[in-house]
Amino acid sequence: MLATVICFAVVVGEFRTFLQAEVQASFVNMIHHPGYEYFVVTDKPFPVRNGDDNVVHNRGAAAAADDVGVQVSPLRSWVFGGVQGGIMSGRPNSERAKEVHDCPPKTCNSDRYLYAPIAPRLAQCYYEILSEEGRRNIRYKTVFKIRPDHIFNERIPHVGDSIAFRHPEGTVHIWDDQMAVSRRSDAKWILLTPTVAYSTCASEDDWKMACGYAYSQQSFEECISDGALVCETMRLILPYSGAKEVMSLPWTSRQWESGRVTPKVSGHFCIKRLKFLKDNAESRCREEPGCMSC
């Protein structure tokens, strides 16, 4: 079987947890299958080890004690560049919100703040895949784009056999902007089309086509007035590409509920955030509906 590409594109995920032991163990034990090959596109350089065998990043200090380095293999490419640091500067209610969200009348896209970091990194992953294919004179079979801070609690079947090739060519599968799976022939829709999807002020017809049964007139009007999401912005790849259908990946995320000390829903996966960060303290997951933190 020809290889499957795993693209770790650091977009809204936290790179700093990618090298932690439990995150790497999850990718190795819960995600990896023979034939998987890995590409990383990130705002951090490839980790190196100092004389004490600690992983060090370009962030001014040694990594966390439980960092173990890159365990996923084979790693075909590590691209360092693009926007540095966080992407908060365009979120709704921020100082740049009006500039970023100022769309023409009867159009909206409240996720346009994601454009600067997301599009170049996903596109760069696509170009790295092309380069590797050309260098080795091969053609990959499946592409799986995933955040680098996910921990899976269950073994995930081979995404080519269980997802991509169970549906006709032209079908792409997404989990919001966090994960996407497609045949190699459809990789451009999930890696290149977000350049348009996350930068365009979408019309009502665009949102109707993107959201399908999930579309509502009320949600579109709230998108225009308050910046609410009509549906997952990643679904805008449908009206702006040659993709024929966008389907949801069959996985659930961890969910917390206020007042509970255990998750309301364990889920297939969770997001491994750094502990003790002011804005990401684990305890906040018991207060914020929809929090997916581990």
Side-chain angles (χ1 to χ4, degrees):
M1 177 182 294
L2 294 181
T4 292
V5 173
I6 305 291
C7 178
F8 293 112
V10 179
V11 182
V12 291
E14 294 191 37
F15 168 81
R16 288 167 289 183
T17 63
F18 178 56
L19 299 180
Q20 290 189 3
E22 58 186 319
V23 177
Q24 287 290 310
S26 170
F27 287 128
V28 170
N29 299 321
M30 300 299 184
I31 296 292
H32 184 76
H33 289 271
Y36 278 23
E37 299 186 4
Y38 298 86
F39 294 73
V40 178
V41 185
T42 175
D43 62 346
K44 302 293 182 183
F46 185 80
V48 297
R49 295 180 180 274
N50 63 21
D52 297 325
D53 203 37
N54 292 321
V55 180
V56 178
H57 311 278
N58 186 23
R59 66 179 192 228
D66 61 344
D67 277 5
V68 295
V70 181
Q71 304 294 307
V72 295
S73 177
L75 180 61
R76 297 304 185 195
S77 179
W78 184 294
V79 177
F80 160 51
V83 175
Q84 306 293 301
I87 58 171
M88 297 296 293
S89 62
R91 288 185 181 275
N93 303 319
S94 71
E95 293 181 1
R96 290 189 58 234
K98 187 177 187 302
E99 170 193 341
V100 175
H101 299 285
D102 190 14
C103 283
K106 298 184 179 180
T107 66
C108 67
N109 188 340
S110 56
D111 266 352
R112 291 177 72 211
Y113 70 91
L114 288 173
Y115 168 71
I118 193 173
R121 291 178 185 162
L122 295 180
Q124 188 61 51
C125 189
Y126 183 81
Y127 301 138
E128 290 298 308
I129 292 169
L130 289 181
S131 177
E132 184 68 13
E133 288 177 330
R135 185 181 69 83
R136 292 160 57 195
N137 193 27
I138 64 170
R139 177 77 167 178
Y140 287 113
K141 185 177 180 181
T142 315
V143 175
F144 182 12
K145 187 271 292 183
I146 186 171
R147 277 172 54 147
D149 57 358
H150 279 13
I151 289 180
F152 275 80
N153 309 307
E154 300 180 19
R155 177 72 168 153
I156 301 301
H158 192 291
V159 294
D161 299 337
S162 66
I163 297 174
F165 281 85
R166 287 199 170 189
H167 300 274
E169 189 170 1
T171 305
V172 299
H173 307 258
I174 67 169
W175 205 103
D176 200 355
D177 59 9
Q178 299 185 30
M179 291 176 281
V181 173
S182 78
R183 299 185 185 207
R184 169 63 183 84
S185 58
D186 296 314
K188 50 187 173 293
W189 311 140
I190 62 174
L191 297 178
L192 294 182
T193 310
T195 301
V196 179
Y198 280 92
S199 63
T200 300
C201 292
S203 68
E204 183 175 8
D205 286 342
D206 290 340
W207 281 114
K208 283 181 178 179
M209 183 176 181
C211 301
Y213 68 87
Y215 175 84
S216 73
Q217 183 68 34
Q218 180 180 346
S219 64
F220 178 66
E221 293 174 356
E222 290 175 350
C223 177
I224 293 175
S225 61
D226 302 322
L229 287 176
V230 184
C231 62
E232 304 103 308
T233 305
M234 189 71 170
R235 289 186 175 273
L236 283 172
I237 64 177
L238 186 59
Y240 301 148
S241 75
K244 298 175 182 176
E245 185 175 8
V246 176
M247 300 182 67
S248 296
L249 286 166
W251 305 322
T252 58
S253 64
R254 178 160 297 178
Q255 298 292 324
W256 295 83
E257 187 177 69
S258 179
R260 294 176 64 107
V261 296
T262 57
K264 178 181 179 182
V265 178
S266 179
H268 293 88
F269 71 92
C270 56
I271 297 175
K272 183 64 170 68
R273 304 186 189 278
L274 282 176
K275 295 180 180 180
F276 313 124
L277 280 181
K278 180 180 179 181
D279 294 333
N280 289 322
E282 290 185 342
S283 61
R284 288 187 62 188
C285 260
R286 297 167 190 166
E287 303 168 8
E288 298 179 350
C291 178
M292 294 178 283
S293 291
C294 299

